Amino acid sequence: MGCEVSAASVPPKRHLCDLRMGDLALELAGLGLAEKKARYHAKQIFNWVYQRKVTDFEAMTDLSKLVRSHLKENFDLTPLGKVFEQKSVDGTQKFLFQLSDGKTIESVLIPAQDRLTICISSQVGCAMGCKFCNTASQGLMRNLEVHEITRQVLELSRVANITNIVYMGMGEPLHNFENVCRSVEILLSQEGLNFSKRKITISTSGLVPQIRKMNERLVGPNRVNLAISLNGSYDSQRESVMPINRAFPIEELMQACRDFELEPHRRITFEYVMLGGLNDNLEDAERVMKLVEGIPSKINLIPYNPHPASPYDRPKEEKVEAFHRYLLDRNVSAMIRHSRGRDILAACGQLKSKFDEVVSVAQ
Ligand code: SAH
Ligand code: SF4
């Protein structure tokens, strides 16, 4: 019997963007390098990948041949494939990336004043089933690997000067907890993309145990911002739009927020999607105000962006303004955040659906 390994049975190489600085140093120490040297090389490699943005190990000319050939044999460095790109009249840009298994995810670049925010995906689809959200209609297909998260930022940092990162694209970040935490650690690396922890925000639909876990896991230099999708002011109302509320009702969620340790001057963001006639009354504003009492917070009011997969109406402009005014008059920090890129269907999950539609029409 021969012992050749057929091409199909060779396991795919691990992508280099899966590794944190410490993982990479360990990998190099495994080659027999002294600990200090391994750490030094790990920094050099991060610099090549994330700052000089090379896509070929051969370009890493200051590494020894041994290290270079080890990386080449064991790791992959291919860029994430962009398959679709669209620009809105308001400057928002949407990108659709194709993963190695053919699945697609989206990232959005949103310019505002002196910032350029990237909104990244953490899963293909989502399991949470929020009734107003287009991603929900796709169900959960799978979690993203660490490198599939970090490479969204790396790819777009080649063409844009990104200042902020929000985990608000497709998927529930805290449902892919470990990979999201690792991706955060990579994005924060000084020798890498060097984002400040104040410029990264993880948004969750309210997975209470994972919010508590995040409080323990992402600490000190890794303490990024937390945003909560509240979207309702009392349990039965929130439950009707966010099924997750059945498992973790509002009071438990708010307690987890109160227990989330905030550094000085940091606040939790509460996102509140306003659904016409459903949660946009002043009674709701009053309840929201009471819910966030005592929590350093800011409230983002997001008028619902309609799409065919969901039955709700956009709220009336006067209602949004009255809700906003109610909060401001009572010294509750609140902003109206209009969905960006409406003309290109930029709300959560919409480009993917559109692309899928385009693809299915084209086939
Ligand atoms: N799963 C996470 C992050 C992704 S959703 C979460 O739910 O927080 C990002 C934000 O988009 C959430 O606040 C969600 O409530 C909001 N959103 C989803 N669909 C929307 C729509 N059609 N119109 C306006 N905002 C929407
Ligand atoms: Fe998932 Fe967030 Fe959409 Fe809810 S709003 S279905 S949690 S992506």
Side-chain angles (χ1 to χ4, degrees):
M1 264 206 307
C3 56
E4 304 96 338
V5 180
S6 74
S9 67
V10 176
K13 289 180 187 173
R14 188 169 178 195
H15 202 283
L16 198 72
C17 295
D18 239 5
L19 276 68
R20 295 165 293 181
M21 181 77 74
D23 303 326
L24 190 51
L26 266 180
E27 175 76 27
L28 298 176
L31 284 178
L33 298 186
E35 204 190 308
K36 211 169 154 197
K37 186 133 199 192
R39 260 191 283 132
Y40 179 70
H41 276 323
K43 284 184 183 176
Q44 282 178 308
I45 296 166
F46 256 61
N47 182 282
W48 280 114
V49 175
Y50 295 102
Q51 293 194 5
R52 300 201 227 177
K53 306 186 201 295
V54 301
T55 55
D56 183 354
F57 293 112
E58 286 305 327
M60 303 181 183
T61 46
D62 54 1
L63 298 179
S64 69
K65 271 223 169 85
L66 169 77
V67 172
R68 239 187 298 163
S69 61
H70 177 78
L71 292 178
K72 212 168 151 182
E73 274 161 33
N74 296 284
F75 293 96
D76 179 16
L77 195 53
T78 45
L80 206 51
K82 244 187 270 163
V83 285
F84 200 69
E85 192 178 325
Q86 231 181 346
K87 192 164 186 166
S88 158
V89 285
D90 67 15
T92 303
Q93 270 178 292
K94 296 205 67 169
F95 300 86
L96 196 76
F97 292 109
Q98 187 151 41
L99 308 174
S100 55
D101 61 358
K103 296 199 165 43
T104 50
I105 50 163
E106 59 188 64
S107 316
V108 187
L109 282 179
I110 309 158
Q113 293 112 31
D114 51 351
R115 277 175 306 172
L116 181 60
T117 303
I118 182 171
C119 175
I120 57 174
S121 297
S122 55
Q123 298 181 310
V124 185
C126 184
M128 298 302 138
C130 303
K131 301 281 196 304
F132 50 82
C133 173
N134 203 34
T135 303
S137 61
Q138 298 160 15
L140 175 64
M141 288 188 238
R142 69 169 172 86
N143 278 333
L144 291 188
E145 299 293 337
V146 176
H147 68 88
E148 292 168 333
I149 303 175
T150 50
R151 281 156 81 209
Q152 296 172 54
V153 185
L154 176 60
E155 282 333 315
L156 297 187
S157 76
R158 295 182 202 284
V159 293
N161 192 8
I162 300 168
T163 61
N164 297 60
I165 302 173
V166 293
Y167 285 75
M168 290 186 191
M170 293 164 62
E172 165 51 53
L174 296 189
H175 194 210
N176 185 13
F177 187 83
E178 188 52 30
N179 286 355
V180 162
C181 289
R182 286 172 188 235
S183 70
V184 163
E185 288 163 347
I186 293 171
L187 296 168
L188 289 169
S189 291
Q190 268 178 24
E191 295 77 9
L193 289 167
N194 192 21
F195 278 94
S196 147
K197 61 182 180 178
R198 290 176 192 83
K199 306 283 184 183
I200 299 184
T201 302
I202 294 180
S203 173
T204 177
S205 56
L207 302 187
V208 168
Q210 280 83 347
I211 294 171
R212 295 188 177 282
K213 223 166 120 184
M214 176 177 162
N215 188 41
E216 305 287 323
R217 172 75 164 74
L218 294 178
V219 292
N222 297 327
R223 184 47 137 223
V224 294
N225 302 311
L226 176 64
I228 305 283
S229 294
L230 188 58
N231 304 345
S233 67
Y234 58 96
D235 278 324
S236 59
Q237 182 196 58
R238 186 167 190 266
E239 209 171 288
S240 73
V241 293
M242 299 183 77
I244 188 68
N245 195 77
R246 254 175 255 140
F248 307 114
I250 293 179
E251 198 32 58
E252 277 181 40
L253 175 59
M254 301 319 283
Q255 192 53 48
C257 292
R258 279 189 284 271
D259 295 340
F260 191 83
E261 290 149 59
L262 290 169
E263 293 181 344
H265 312 299
R266 307 314 300 163
R267 295 188 280 179
I268 295 180
T269 303
F270 289 93
E271 294 149 279
Y272 192 88
V273 176
M274 298 188 68
L275 303 160
L278 201 138
N279 63 1
D280 59 352
N281 298 307
L282 291 184
E283 294 76 16
D284 293 298
E286 187 184 356
R287 282 187 288 262
V288 167
M289 176 182 76
K290 290 190 175 143
L291 287 174
V292 302
E293 216 168 61
I295 304 176
S297 58
K298 51 186 171 192
I299 298 171
N300 282 346
L301 302 172
I302 314 168
Y304 166 66
N305 196 22
H307 57 87
S310 133
Y312 305 106
D313 296 320
R314 200 189 290 281
K316 292 200 173 71
E317 198 58 42
E318 314 87 82
K319 292 272 240 182
V320 178
E321 269 158 29
F323 200 111
H324 187 209
R325 173 73 23 227
Y326 182 95
L327 295 174
L328 292 186
D329 286 348
R330 286 152 189 84
N331 293 320
V332 180
S333 167
M335 302 258 277
I336 301 173
R337 299 257 184 221
H338 284 286
S339 285
R340 300 289 302 271
R342 267 191 247 169
D343 56 326
I344 57 167
L345 290 174
C348 193
Q350 295 192 5
L351 177 66
K352 181 183 155 63
S353 300
K354 187 172 179 195
F355 177 78
D356 290 348
E357 198 185 323
V358 170
V359 169
S360 68
V361 168
Q363 275 169 350

